């Protein structure tokens, strides 16, 4: 379990003091999973010598700092590394290999893309443009909210440790999800190969949309709908986005079905066990598998007639 100290000679992890950010917090959470008996010390200057087993990050212009004027190491995406990315780059694959070496390479890339690059980018001042009428809370701002308020007389090290606990939970959840997603990829590829008439079927729900979009199998390009069992009973009919991170789909469910449920939807669609169609037309639900296929086929027919 991670401990924090004011005595730098007791520490095997050293990062900067004062206000903390997602970069140093997630770096600390990750390293606490890597080394034995982790003890962190937060300092304002590196004006002392340390042993070879001490890891210094986000301060001191060393291997795991990114504040040097000449520093320009970047992820494959072009995002500039920050300390979290540098530490994960060095220690991440070994950590993942201990969990499951079969998927470690692909999970390493997933974690970089899904979590680390955004933290690295924001810490380097590359803020996303969010055009919404409401205040969007980034992960960085949520972690930042753990800092002591200006009118609080409390030790910010205690606040830092609370933030690290949250960061560790988030990191471990991302790791778990990415391993599950990597396992799903093999199953989805088999389902792509078995698909027919623009419809793919999965015997249980799992992440599939990104894999259909990115698959090298030519059959993936023809898939318009995926049918899966629903956790609420029955079956769901899912649309396929035209690309990642968009709500635009290859084929919507018919607009006349949007927002309807049960008998009203059954009367309009002609699908006997239809129970639901999302107002945005990306998801439908039926009581039986045959009707789920019927719902998908009707949507495809309407698309073909419209074209």
């Amino acid at each position: 379990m991670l401990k924090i100290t004011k005595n730098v000679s007791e520490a095997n992890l050293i990062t900067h003091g004062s206000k903390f950010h997602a970069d140093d917090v997630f770096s600390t959470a990750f390293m606490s999973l890597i080394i034995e008996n982790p003890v962190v010390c937060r300092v304002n200057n590196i004006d002392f010598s340390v042993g070879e087993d001490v890891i210094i990050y986000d301060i001191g212009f060393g291997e795991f700092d990114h504040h040097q004027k000449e520093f320009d190491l970047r992820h494959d995406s072009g995002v500039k590394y920050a300390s979290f990315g540098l530490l994960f780059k060095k220690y991440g694959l070994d950590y993942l290999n201990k969990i499951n070496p079969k998927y470690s390479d692909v999970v390493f890339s997933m974690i970089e893309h899904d979590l680390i690059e955004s933290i690295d980018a924001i810490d380097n001042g590359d803020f996303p443009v969010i055009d919404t009428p409401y205040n969007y809370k980034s992960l960085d701002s949520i972690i930042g909210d753990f800092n002591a308020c200006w009118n609080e007389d409390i030790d910010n090290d205690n606040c830092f440790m609370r933030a690290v606990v949250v960061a560790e939970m988030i990191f471990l959840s991302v790791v778990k999800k990415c391993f599950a997603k990597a396992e799903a990829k093999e199953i989805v590829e088999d389902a792509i190969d078995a698909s027919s008439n623009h419809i793919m079927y999965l015997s249980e729900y799992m992440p599939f949309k990104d894999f259909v979009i990115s698959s090298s199998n030519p059959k993936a390009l023809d898939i318009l709908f995926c049918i899966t069992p629903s956790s609420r009973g029955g079956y769901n009919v899912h649309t396929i986005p035209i690309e990642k991170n968009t709500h635009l789909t290859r084929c919507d469910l018919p607009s006349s079905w949007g927002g309807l449920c049960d008998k009203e939807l059954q009367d309009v669609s002609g699908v006997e066990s239809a129970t639901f169609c999302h107002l945005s037309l990306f998801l439908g639900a039926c009581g039986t598998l045959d009707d789920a296929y019927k719902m998908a086929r009707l949507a495809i027919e309407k698309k073909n007639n419209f074209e």
Side-chain angles (χ1 to χ4, degrees):
M1 179 179 293
L2 178 68
K3 297 180 180 178
I4 195 165
T5 182
K6 302 290 187 183
N7 185 348
V8 71
S9 65
E10 297 175 347
N12 48 22
L13 298 173
I14 296 175
T15 190
H16 68 80
S18 301
K19 185 177 180 180
F20 52 82
H21 312 88
D23 185 33
D24 49 301
V25 169
F26 271 88
S27 294
T28 304
F30 173 59
M31 293 312 299
S32 72
L33 301 171
I34 296 297
I35 64 174
E36 293 185 10
N37 303 316
V39 180
V40 63
C41 184
R42 303 175 70 235
V43 300
N44 293 324
N45 295 288
I46 303 294
D47 53 2
F48 48 83
S49 60
V50 298
E52 293 182 358
D53 59 337
V54 177
I55 298 173
I56 303 173
Y57 50 94
D58 213 24
I59 191 173
F61 296 157
E63 181 180 1
F64 304 114
D65 194 10
H66 59 108
H67 296 100
Q68 303 93 317
K69 184 177 181 180
E70 68 279 7
F71 182 88
D72 196 35
L73 186 63
R74 295 177 181 269
H75 295 269
D76 291 342
S77 64
V79 171
K80 188 177 179 180
Y81 275 91
S83 296
F84 186 26
L86 291 170
L87 288 163
F88 192 75
K89 182 175 185 290
K90 181 159 184 174
Y91 298 108
L93 193 56
D94 286 343
Y95 170 75
L96 298 173
N97 276 329
K98 293 176 182 177
I99 300 174
N100 189 338
K102 181 178 179 180
Y103 300 116
S104 58
D105 287 337
V106 66
V107 169
F108 181 91
S109 297
M110 286 181 183
I111 294 171
E112 278 204 317
H113 178 71
D114 292 354
L115 177 67
I116 296 173
E117 287 180 359
S118 63
I119 293 173
D120 282 4
I122 289 176
D123 202 71
N124 280 302
D126 183 7
F127 298 98
V129 177
I130 308 295
D131 184 19
T132 64
Y134 54 86
N135 182 33
Y136 172 78
K137 294 289 285 185
S138 68
L139 180 57
D140 183 77
S141 67
I142 291 171
I143 293 296
D145 284 344
F146 280 87
N147 280 282
C149 297
W150 69 271
N151 55 356
E152 286 184 299
D153 185 19
I154 58 177
D155 188 342
N156 211 35
D157 278 3
N158 294 331
C159 301
F160 176 82
M161 290 294 282
R162 287 197 291 270
V164 169
V165 170
V166 172
E168 181 178 321
M169 288 191 292
I170 293 171
F171 176 76
L172 291 175
S173 294
V174 170
V175 170
K176 182 176 69 173
K177 292 287 187 182
C178 287
F179 269 109
K181 192 173 182 181
E183 183 178 348
K185 184 177 188 297
E186 294 185 12
I187 300 171
V188 173
E189 288 291 349
D190 288 341
I192 290 171
D193 205 47
S195 65
S196 62
N197 300 316
H198 308 291
I199 302 171
M200 182 178 82
Y201 174 73
L202 290 168
S203 60
E204 56 184 321
Y205 179 80
M206 62 191 67
F208 66 88
K209 293 183 180 180
D210 286 355
F211 299 136
V212 173
I213 294 168
S214 62
S215 176
S216 59
N217 189 331
K219 294 187 71 174
L221 297 173
D222 293 328
I223 296 173
L224 301 179
F225 291 96
C226 177
I227 296 173
T228 70
S230 169
S231 61
R232 300 180 181 183
Y235 295 85
N236 285 335
V237 179
H238 308 264
T239 59
I240 305 296
I242 59 174
E243 59 186 19
K244 293 181 180 181
N245 301 318
T246 182
H247 295 297
L248 298 176
T249 73
R250 295 177 179 180
C251 178
D252 283 343
L253 293 167
S255 58
S256 60
W257 300 359
L260 302 183
C261 297
D262 300 325
K263 188 176 187 306
E264 190 175 9
L265 177 58
Q266 294 160 11
D267 290 344
V268 170
S269 67
V271 179
E272 185 176 349
S273 68
T275 56
F276 171 75
C277 180
H278 197 283
L279 184 62
S280 297
L281 309 176
F282 67 86
L283 179 70
C286 298
T288 69
L289 181 58
D290 286 345
D291 277 351
Y293 272 97
K294 183 177 181 179
M295 180 177 276
R297 286 195 297 267
L298 287 170
I300 293 168
E301 288 173 8
K302 188 173 182 63
K303 177 181 186 299
N304 290 338
N305 291 336
F306 180 77
E307 291 177 344

